[in-house]
Amino acid sequence: MEDEKIFKIVIFMALVGLIGMIVSAGSITPREVKIKEIDKGMIDEEVTVTGFVEDIKNSKTGKASFITLNDGTGKITIVIFESVKNEIERSDLSIEMLKYRKIKIIGKIAEYKGSMEIILEEPQNLKIL
């Protein structure tokens, strides 16, 4: 009988923990960083960055867009691949409309040819401020 009580308590505590994680998961946001703080030790980490869009370029194939973001501490390239770009543009927002605007993005830090960049993985992780 004692083992059965312990088992019920363990199951109850596990359920309470899972419910707590589910409830709090919506309020967890990646940490906000300044561009100058981004380094190789942060590769694959999801972060929030706010800054002004200085420039927008498209890849030669047109399958990606590259935004130069400046937050006053430095500049970084934001990479938007074709699938995410298409989803953004379906919501009547052109990537080109972001130029000279202040934006906030949540993305994953990556390194490409020795330079740090941020990959925008979800269209809802781009906000115009």
Side-chain angles (χ1 to χ4, degrees):
M1 190 66 176
E2 190 66 30
D3 288 341
E4 189 175 315
K5 285 182 180 178
I6 292 172
F7 181 72
K8 287 180 181 178
I9 291 170
V10 168
I11 294 296
F12 175 75
M13 295 302 289
L15 287 173
V16 168
L18 283 172
I19 291 169
M21 285 183 0
I22 291 168
V23 168
S24 66
S27 63
I28 297 172
T29 58
R31 69 181 172 124
E32 190 150 349
V33 298
K34 299 289 184 192
I35 292 171
K36 73 175 182 176
E37 299 169 352
I38 296 173
D39 62 27
K40 292 182 181 193
M42 298 169 72
I43 291 174
D44 289 332
E45 183 177 335
E46 196 169 60
V47 296
T48 302
V49 178
T50 301
F52 288 92
V53 176
E54 286 190 346
D55 194 23
I56 300 170
K57 294 181 181 172
N58 292 312
S59 66
K60 292 175 185 173
T61 62
K63 294 191 180 233
S65 292
F66 307 101
I67 294 175
T68 302
L69 191 70
N70 185 339
D71 72 350
T73 69
K75 297 178 185 181
I76 195 162
T77 299
I78 309 300
V79 181
I80 304 174
F81 291 110
E82 184 177 32
S83 60
V84 175
K85 181 179 175 180
N86 290 341
E87 285 186 57
I88 291 170
E89 292 180 345
R90 268 189 234 120
S91 66
D92 293 329
L93 176 66
S94 164
I95 297 295
E96 286 72 32
M97 291 172 53
L98 299 174
K99 197 166 187 178
Y100 308 122
R101 307 276 305 266
K102 185 175 183 180
I103 63 169
K104 177 184 258 187
I105 67 127
I106 297 172
K108 190 173 280 190
I109 297 175
E111 182 180 16
Y112 181 72
K113 293 185 178 180
S115 295
M116 304 308 292
E117 59 186 23
I118 299 176
I119 311 290
L120 180 68
E121 296 178 317
E122 300 288 334
Q124 64 269 19
N125 288 344
L126 169 68
K127 304 277 187 253
I128 298 174
L129 304 177

